[in-house]
Amino acid sequence: MRHAVEQLTELLGRRPESVSSLRPTEDGWTAKVEVTELERIPETTSVMASYEVALGPAGQLLGYERGKRYTRAQVGGKES
């Protein structure tokens, strides 16, 4: 996962803050990674994004897709 985070950081230009899920698949792994997309003051209004990341069996980044965007203060709610 660390290697994939480094690759994703290079592609997005921002370091992921957390991994919210990690699941095995037939071809490797799928992870959801949370990234700050727009920093604001106060920090609770910063815009976050959840990325779905596909990883190979050795942890190499195969692809990613941005999912929902939300403010840092937003808790729970409906997935989009």
Side-chain angles (χ1 to χ4, degrees):
M1 191 68 222
R2 283 187 203 119
H3 183 61
V5 165
E6 289 171 10
Q7 291 175 320
L8 194 58
T9 299
E10 201 172 304
L11 290 167
L12 298 176
R14 296 196 169 271
R15 185 152 188 85
E17 290 198 18
S18 65
V19 176
S20 56
S21 73
L22 182 63
R23 299 186 306 271
T25 65
E26 289 182 20
D27 302 321
W29 299 87
T30 299
K32 278 200 178 171
V33 179
E34 309 306 314
V35 177
T36 303
E37 291 216 323
L38 180 60
E39 294 182 32
R40 292 186 175 161
I41 298 174
E43 194 174 273
T44 55
T45 62
S46 292
V47 178
M48 305 292 293
S50 182
Y51 283 81
E52 181 136 341
V53 180
L55 307 169
Q60 71 276 24
L61 182 69
L62 300 177
Y64 68 95
E65 181 176 0
R66 184 175 70 190
K68 69 176 188 165
R69 293 179 82 192
Y70 57 96
T71 61
R72 185 181 296 274
Q74 190 175 344
V75 178
K78 189 175 168 182
E79 291 280 326
S80 48

